[in-house]
Amino acid sequence: MTRGLSAVPVRAVSARLGVTLGRVGALLAVLALLAIWVIRIRYAAPAYVSELGADGAPDAGWFALALGTVAAAGMLLGVAELLRTPMVGEAHGAVRAALVDEARGGLPGVPVGGGRGAVRAALLGGVCLILAGIGFLVSTVYPCTARCPVPGDPLHTMRDTIHITAAIAGFALVAIAMLAQAVAGADRRSRLIAWGAAIGVAVIAGVGGLLALAHVATALGAWCELVATSIAILWCASRGMSRGRS
């Protein structure tokens, strides 16, 4: 019993660190998103997000900084999620009881409700956000060539393949984190927000992708991609802040 209860101060410290990292990650995500919108508005022609950092783009350096900040935010938010979530094995016995008592008294970051499903969803979400951050970091290190040609285009290069693959993987991992939270989040509010974000991203990104494949209304398709990306980043930021208020 004494050995189990000694875990409480450790959990308290890690939970408080998770609060701080979540808030920092959320702030970085919002700042990066604002920077991306400014860069896009300054761009003279219709452009998909990756084109803003391609070779020859006027603000390619600033875009690389913004995308790198998104990567850092994703990793921080993922680590924060893991730090603030108790392991599944802690859901029973004296340790769990002590943690619940502390949480009701104001200990930040230890979920009181939601059960094992919510714990697993939070852990999955944390891992996905860390991996998504790594994906965005890779896409920052390997920017597109001029105009970011897609596979099948004669100008497409291996660097374009790496960039596009890493960016898509990062986006998909964020979507998995959204769905995990939507299905098994600890509270109804977080589940509804996650469902709204997931559906919004799927519909808007889907429209943008179809327009791009059909080579029709590509300007609208580019804006759809930016809006879908914005929803995903804002959802990540909201997770950091909501966990900070837990």
Side-chain angles (χ1 to χ4, degrees):
M1 179 70 73
T2 301
R3 182 181 176 185
L5 289 175
S6 67
V8 174
V10 175
R11 172 55 61 190
V13 171
S14 66
R16 290 191 175 95
L17 178 59
V19 171
T20 301
L21 293 181
R23 289 171 177 169
V24 172
L27 177 61
L28 290 178
V30 172
L31 291 176
L33 180 58
L34 289 174
I36 290 172
W37 271 89
V38 170
I39 293 168
R40 174 61 188 90
I41 291 170
R42 283 167 48 87
Y43 201 84
Y48 283 82
V49 175
S50 290
E51 291 182 59
L52 302 177
D55 292 346
D59 293 316
W62 287 109
F63 180 80
L65 179 60
L67 187 57
T69 302
V70 171
M75 287 184 276
L76 284 175
L77 290 167
V79 171
E81 193 83 3
L82 296 182
L83 287 174
R84 294 174 54 81
T85 305
M87 297 296 103
V88 175
E90 292 179 10
H92 66 279
V95 175
R96 179 60 175 169
L99 290 172
V100 170
D101 289 340
E102 288 289 336
R104 287 172 177 165
L107 176 66
V110 180
V112 176
R116 291 189 176 186
V119 170
R120 292 192 180 100
L123 293 175
L124 175 60
V127 172
C128 285
L129 290 179
I130 292 172
L131 294 177
I134 294 172
F136 293 134
L137 181 60
V138 171
S139 63
T140 302
V141 175
Y142 294 93
C144 283
T145 58
R147 299 192 65 79
C148 207
V150 297
D153 190 305
L155 298 178
H156 184 81
T157 68
M158 181 57 68
R159 178 149 61 95
D160 297 313
T161 298
I162 295 173
H163 175 89
I164 293 171
T165 301
I168 291 175
F171 203 75
L173 286 161
V174 172
I176 292 172
M178 279 185 194
L179 290 174
Q181 186 63 30
V183 172
D187 61 271
R188 184 172 181 271
R189 179 174 176 273
S190 66
R191 291 195 298 272
L192 289 175
I193 291 173
W195 273 121
I199 293 171
V201 168
V203 172
I204 297 171
V207 170
L210 289 173
L211 292 176
L213 289 173
H215 299 287
V216 174
T218 53
L220 175 60
W223 282 112
C224 285
E225 184 201 33
L226 179 57
V227 170
T229 301
S230 301
I231 294 172
I233 293 176
L234 287 174
W235 177 81
C236 291
S238 75
R239 284 301 297 158
M241 294 308 296
S242 66
R243 302 291 285 182
R245 293 192 301 267
S246 295

